[in-house]
Amino acid sequence: MKDIYIADLAAFDEGKLFDGYFLVLAKQQRTTKSNKPYLSLILGDKTGQLEGRIWEPNDPRIAKEFERGDVVKARGSASRFDERLQMKVDQLRLAQPGEVDKTDLMPSTTYDVPSLWRQLLSFVDSFTNSDLKLLLATLLADPGLSAAYREAPAAKQLHHAWLGGLLEHVISLLTLADRVAPHYPLLDRDLLMTGVILHDIGKVRELSWEIGFEYTVEGSLLGHIQIGTALTERTIDSLPNFPPKLKTLVLHMILSHHGKLEFGSPKLPMIPEALALSFLDDLDAKMQAIQVEFDKCIREGKSANEMTGKVWALDQRQMLNTKRWLGADKE
Amino acid sequence: MKDIYIADLAAFDEGKLFDGYFLVLAKQQRTTKSNKPYLSLILGDKTGQLEGRIWEPNDPRIAKEFERGDVVKARGSASRFDERLQMKVDQLRLAQPGEVDKTDLMPSTTYDVPSLWRQLLSFVDSFTNSDLKLLLATLLADPGLSAAYREAPAAKQLHHAWLGGLLEHVISLLTLADRVAPHYPLLDRDLLMTGVILHDIGKVRELSWEIGFEYTVEGSLLGHIQIGTALTERTIDSLPNFPPKLKTLVLHMILSHHGKLEFGSPKLPMIPEALALSFLDDLDAKMQAIQVEFDKCIREGKSANEMTGKVWALDQRQMLNTKRWLGADKE
Amino acid sequence: MKDIYIADLAAFDEGKLFDGYFLVLAKQQRTTKSNKPYLSLILGDKTGQLEGRIWEPNDPRIAKEFERGDVVKARGSASRFDERLQMKVDQLRLAQPGEVDKTDLMPSTTYDVPSLWRQLLSFVDSFTNSDLKLLLATLLADPGLSAAYREAPAAKQLHHAWLGGLLEHVISLLTLADRVAPHYPLLDRDLLMTGVILHDIGKVRELSWEIGFEYTVEGSLLGHIQIGTALTERTIDSLPNFPPKLKTLVLHMILSHHGKLEFGSPKLPMIPEALALSFLDDLDAKMQAIQVEFDKCIREGKSANEMTGKVWALDQRQMLNTKRWLGADKE
Amino acid sequence: MKDIYIADLAAFDEGKLFDGYFLVLAKQQRTTKSNKPYLSLILGDKTGQLEGRIWEPNDPRIAKEFERGDVVKARGSASRFDERLQMKVDQLRLAQPGEVDKTDLMPSTTYDVPSLWRQLLSFVDSFTNSDLKLLLATLLADPGLSAAYREAPAAKQLHHAWLGGLLEHVISLLTLADRVAPHYPLLDRDLLMTGVILHDIGKVRELSWEIGFEYTVEGSLLGHIQIGTALTERTIDSLPNFPPKLKTLVLHMILSHHGKLEFGSPKLPMIPEALALSFLDDLDAKMQAIQVEFDKCIREGKSANEMTGKVWALDQRQMLNTKRWLGADKE
Amino acid sequence: MKDIYIADLAAFDEGKLFDGYFLVLAKQQRTTKSNKPYLSLILGDKTGQLEGRIWEPNDPRIAKEFERGDVVKARGSASRFDERLQMKVDQLRLAQPGEVDKTDLMPSTTYDVPSLWRQLLSFVDSFTNSDLKLLLATLLADPGLSAAYREAPAAKQLHHAWLGGLLEHVISLLTLADRVAPHYPLLDRDLLMTGVILHDIGKVRELSWEIGFEYTVEGSLLGHIQIGTALTERTIDSLPNFPPKLKTLVLHMILSHHGKLEFGSPKLPMIPEALALSFLDDLDAKMQAIQVEFDKCIREGKSANEMTGKVWALDQRQMLNTKRWLGADKE
Amino acid sequence: MKDIYIADLAAFDEGKLFDGYFLVLAKQQRTTKSNKPYLSLILGDKTGQLEGRIWEPNDPRIAKEFERGDVVKARGSASRFDERLQMKVDQLRLAQPGEVDKTDLMPSTTYDVPSLWRQLLSFVDSFTNSDLKLLLATLLADPGLSAAYREAPAAKQLHHAWLGGLLEHVISLLTLADRVAPHYPLLDRDLLMTGVILHDIGKVRELSWEIGFEYTVEGSLLGHIQIGTALTERTIDSLPNFPPKLKTLVLHMILSHHGKLEFGSPKLPMIPEALALSFLDDLDAKMQAIQVEFDKCIREGKSANEMTGKVWALDQRQMLNTKRWLGADKE
């Protein structure tokens, strides 16, 4: 297990020495403005990334043979540049297989994945519509797909995304949809829940998460909406008696879930379940983004009277942590 | 009590004779294209409106003295013109006071208003924040305000609006918010519920609902956001120890609830509660609009395979009634 | 064969008697403003539509039993109302099977469909890419699909759309693309031509054209982009060795051909062939719309110095017929 | 001189007989919904337009030979249809030359044109920049141009436009600019005033105002900005020593005066004088539109508590007449 | 008094030594790309800001105890980095109370504030509407408010904003409105002038200007439109006989003065005075921004043939200084 | 002739020494973050630009007297900073006249200009419309104009623009238009070709290309649309019998070629030829931009599986090189 994580370094004094295991996300030869050459690394672990700089690449304590994707053990000291944390790397070697757990090296959900997965299956189990239940059971029983579903992040940008992020987002949405559905009698609960489970399923092929999170070429050209729709359609077509109308509705849920044409949905929601899905999906994504920002403010020691930085998911708006602000007088 | 309502006429044969009590919403002298003069009335009751035409205004069976705002008893026959229902009025007289219940003459909520009001007070009662509880108790105890709150429609257009519509919408939102709030620990439930109760309170002065639903001049120039904010601020200022920060937050909830500057909110939601309020308010309004359209399709005898007409609240999109469509094969 | 077509009536004097065969597109009971009941028909043939009015439905010369979708023979006189042509129907009976050719009753392409189809196959034959050639040969060999491809209109609105319109548009685009492709060496001609042939193929299920042109429910909820992508993907998956990268590119051509997210493409063109397709498709559609307007002006007797009416496909812009205007002085 | 103007008819009782001189703006054969043929005329005079209907075109009291553009004397009675005034025409003959003054037949400015023209020349006279003074003196001395400048309307739509409207608008703007220029030392007054005089000069060829107000084909294809720029450039090029920089600035004033690309200015204001011109031009146009609406409300007998109808020039907003509303309590 | 101002440094040679008094606007520990630590200060005075860098924080000539908000005397040398001016700080000590005038340390209006204030009162004195006169007299007599009104900047960004900026902008607008009002008889001059005085009054609480210019949390959540409206409404409610209609109009002036919903006005101008206010406010702001840019070009030694940099207030457009360009040939 | 070009340097090792001739595009005194002064040069040749840094300006091997616009011979070593190439300059002297060919120092078309020009004239020669042929022959015979037409770049940004770029773009468009015109019978080929030749002709005065590519002040204030229209109009007016209608059409082609008001066209295309021109111009510009990006990827050694960087001309979209990607498996 790792001892030191990138997020811990924020509290370090300038120049403090430390060592740790990291995943090499990028490696490039660079030169400073004053013409000094160095090797620039992007190092990542589950808590974040930082730039590492090797000023003496020929130092015998620096391994020669390592590449993007390798796990390394590095020793050096912390510094700050233009608000961003950096590491001056003095020693670096390749890690031995087994020396460090790979899940320590990529950001991942703080929830227990097997437990999230059981919740997902149990929601499916609660369906009264047997066609939808069979569709989901079939899809989620596919070993390759279910493994990917458990691992996939929900988005590319590291600060919004982590291994298991897709599953975590879906469970939050299922719980929320389960609360909202009974409030509107015109909603078909099982269809809504099916939409929640399938809406982002195309992300398992739109993104790759081997070394950092990236769009695949297929993902760039087709997008997760098309990939997810095709995957779902293929599964439905393998079921002998799936009702054609229900197929149209399920596909429409996936196609329209972004809620606006300009967000890449080729169709706007035209059934109540699709409208509700697009609202709840958007609300849940924004609530998670706000929570992340509030946590970050506390971690960075901002006062309760300060607003957050500009939140990308909220059109660069700054938010105020209500509860903390109200409580500030009592602190 | 009235025997015949405007909504019933849709099922009448052309030319069928009937009589009923109506509120006169407009009265104008007109001429047909072929140069035939007539008196055009807009007649309303709780189920809708229709045009009444008097072709023989000098007929002794037609009262001379009646104006916009009067309640009349009219007898005539039904016809259709360009899809719209019309009444050819043969006889008309002023109704006697007491002859008809005025609540039969304006569209109103199908819920029991005293019961809705008790639900509202009971939600306030459930608050743990004593400042917010006192604020709402004070506001809702004002006799003039509470009477208006119980009567006000939620919007001007007749097909979206009815007496008691504001209260009905608020109760739906409170119930929904009460389900959603526990799902997000970062939400202050009482602040969210306060926002729900106050967000449209300015409508009690933005609209008038004596004879049809109209904007007041004050409503046109200031809007319900400003009117509601001022009303709330005045009440808060009358409470000796209301925390200033909490005041800012409550006012922000009202100011930002439209969620977009172009919808007339001078501020975007900058606290989680305001963001949630703007999502839930929008979702609830759209769900109600969809329900109204689905009901209308059934009333008009449209088949389960037809989509609704263009829904104004959904940018003129047509919607499909999922449950009915899926069930259509079984019918 | 029919003797008289709706488009001919424009030249008729008011009140002139005529008879002809028509398809009944709609049938409704109506009332005039002056309270006179009548039966309103929408009658269509290959050249257009007009309203027919039956003022005496009980006249023994008017058949009782006819419905939307029936072919009728009607006799009456022409009139104009608010610029639109009308027919006062005096006699009406059901047409006997065989009495009139059904292709006379729906607007259809002026080109020879078998010849257009041979051109299509011959373009496919010219491909050097054997995978794409096999894909198209397989698709176009499907009897149901190829029949629909030959019949489908390119759009719903009657004035833009006719039987065979899809095929006519595709042949025009193929010819154009064949001229443009050699000009840009970076374009893969066969991929571009494949995109042309497949881009609107989903319209065979998005639209129905039995009685007038309508969106199907499936078409409304999924759209021709999704339908066409799925249809193509299924065919590719049936071919043993179709290259996966080529599959991604072909699907991307269909997905992105509208060129803008707000026009319902879930992806913007990201390869040169997709960019070229979106430009040429848009140009060809607009050029056809302009040609239709210019023809209409001549048919309606507008002078060469007048601009067209507002062209819907050009954002309601009016166009000038250059060649006719320049020649006007010599006429 | 005419005795009766179209605007007077608003106060007439239904059916009242009258006669008057009118300009025939359009003439068309029509049929009512109930299939009754009639001749429809658009008749205009300086105060407005109305539809005239001839139900008996073969009546010997109706002249056979008259066309669009003719001046006629008509006798008939007033009626109203769908809020619009109509005239049932019983008699109609061509007016004799000299029988009526043509300026009575087109809407025109209420100001004295020679006096407005003297004001224009006197503003030019006040310039200290001799190059600009010479430019304007040369342009305005052109007999054809100056005649057209005095006659041209400022826009096509009849309710916003009248003969002399261009000159009236320019004089208002010159007076306003003369008040504003000294407030900002960075403004070159003579350049600003030159921009005011020239900004809409292209309208003398963009519009025709012989029979109603229409766009010319040249006006549609080139626009008044291009026409005005070319006209100004040609005049400048005829002056031997006009400074090239000043020419660039003068042309820029015309090009950019709409203030936004989407309003048809190919360049945005990039000098202070152009910015000021675009603001003042827009303000003056809107203030005139508001005045027109306020006058219309009074003419139509609306109460001081009513807002105007939707004002086209203000994005369909309704306005309130402040002074009248405040005074309403005293009335 | 200070001897050297930040704006003077632009003309200094690289490396020239100087000393001066500055306000510390920010203080942070940083590291260069080449890993060299330093203390970064943002130093401000009335003419601008610059970054100061302390490379040897342990030098005994550098005071240890100073914070954001302190006034310091610093000695060092000027340099340039990426076009921006910097100061290498060699010595630094806290200034003694009284050693420097605090108005030298913040940007402030170049006008005499007492004289501006007298102009403001004299404009109020010129009103004929006694209700508006009393309202403004009451508001401006409030000692706290009037002190803040005299000090407040008009906006946050330093280059647009200075102490007294609000008052300076209001006086410019009052003078301008006083010139424009008589040109349009439909304008109520006193109402327009009242709108000018009150439109930005909420900025006294939206912004803080103790140490640099910042938004308060209240300002972020409520905005100056809401704050100013509430402040005005409270004062009106304290006046026994203020006419209710006039109150509505005054509040509408404040609410609508941004002229567009997307600029944060919850209502668009619906009275002529509000329309005029929104135009003149916008014009005045842009004219001031242009003047600032022209001054900056001259200070920076740009040639008369160069356009300004991109002007933020004009959507990043570059402007040309007309008068200077025209005069350039004569220089 | 030059031996070494800037584009070659990308392949150089860090620190490799070289010398070459360059045009000095800018020269400024700067300081590094660590306070080290240096002289920064922007050096250009036909293949690109790079920053040169002189750290020892007083070294006797560095010439003192050289300015922006001079041609110099410089010796030094290559380095990279933040992905951008830099040159550390050790020696620098002014080049002697004749020592280097100036066409080596600015980016220029890779085509033979005299041959492109012959193609242009030969297209004109192919016209059947003698008026248009005479117009173009007259314009292109003007020595100053034709020289400028052969030299002008098509746009300012260096990476999109090169000497001869305008002519190269026009020849590509003429060839394309010649292929497309016969496909649409409603197109007047000669008018379309005339539009192609004239649409960007105003760029000969909008841009200057003596030392780098810049907008002239005239170009900024008037734009190439106005400049080109005026130039064309003046030539037409010099031809005795040019048909006025044809003049209007030619000017409309230039005015409307950007296809959208927001792109600076004051008129939208209203004739088929103008519509076609705006499509083909846009397509050709984007195809060229894509080709440039694909070439850049290959030059930079990107893999066939990587998409390009964000393409400015395609709204920052990334593109995939289809042919290379499909071929990647075979490589």
Side-chain angles (χ1 to χ4, degrees), chain C residues 14-15 78-80, chain D residues 28-40 53-58:
Chain C
E14 290 276 324
S79 62
R80 245 170 220 81
Chain D
Q28 266 188 309
Q29 185 62 42
R30 297 264 178 112
T31 313
T32 64
K33 278 208 176 173
S34 45
N35 210 24
K36 194 168 155 191
Y38 64 96
L39 204 60
S40 164
R53 296 191 167 193
I54 299 177
W55 297 98
E56 304 294 343
N58 297 321

Side-chain angles (χ1 to χ4, degrees), chain C residues 111-125:
Chain C
Y111 291 87
D112 177 55
V113 168
S115 153
L116 291 177
W117 189 251
R118 279 192 303 274
Q119 287 181 62
L120 179 65
L121 296 180
S122 135
F123 272 117
V124 173
D125 226 47

Side-chain angles (χ1 to χ4, degrees), chain A residues 31-59:
Chain A
T31 312
T32 64
K33 277 208 176 173
S34 47
N35 210 26
K36 195 167 152 191
Y38 66 96
L39 204 58
S40 163
L41 311 176
I42 305 297
L43 301 172
D45 70 12
K46 63 183 276 187
T47 67
Q49 338 180 312
L50 87 170
E51 188 185 357
R53 295 192 169 193
I54 300 177
W55 297 98
E56 304 294 342
N58 295 321
D59 188 311

Side-chain angles (χ1 to χ4, degrees), chain D residues 209-314:
Chain D
W209 52 87
E210 280 311 291
I211 310 163
F213 300 157
E214 299 292 341
Y215 284 103
T216 61
V217 172
E218 183 192 5
S220 293
L221 293 190
L222 304 182
H224 69 273
I225 285 188
Q226 154 62 16
I227 296 171
T229 310
L231 199 154
T232 301
E233 188 160 16
R234 207 154 35 232
T235 309
I236 287 178
D237 290 348
S238 76
L239 301 176
N241 298 307
F242 200 88
K245 285 182 174 178
L246 194 56
K247 172 180 166 181
T248 296
L249 295 174
V250 169
L251 297 180
H252 176 72
M253 295 292 288
I254 304 175
L255 286 177
S256 65
H257 82 268
H258 283 178
K260 294 196 181 174
L261 297 180
E262 56 270 43
F263 293 168
S265 265
K267 281 287 166 184
L268 299 178
M270 300 174 94
I271 57 175
E273 292 79 10
L275 188 83
L277 174 59
S278 72
F279 266 82
L280 299 180
D281 184 27
D282 195 10
L283 176 62
D284 195 65
K286 290 191 164 71
M287 280 294 176
Q288 287 193 348
I290 293 173
Q291 186 67 62
V292 164
E293 290 295 325
F294 286 172
D295 292 350
K296 202 171 133 200
C297 286
I298 290 171
R299 216 165 51 230
E300 292 176 353
K302 280 198 171 181
S303 107
N305 291 313
E306 278 179 276
M307 304 191 73
T308 66
K310 297 181 175 183
V311 186
W312 189 83
L314 287 161

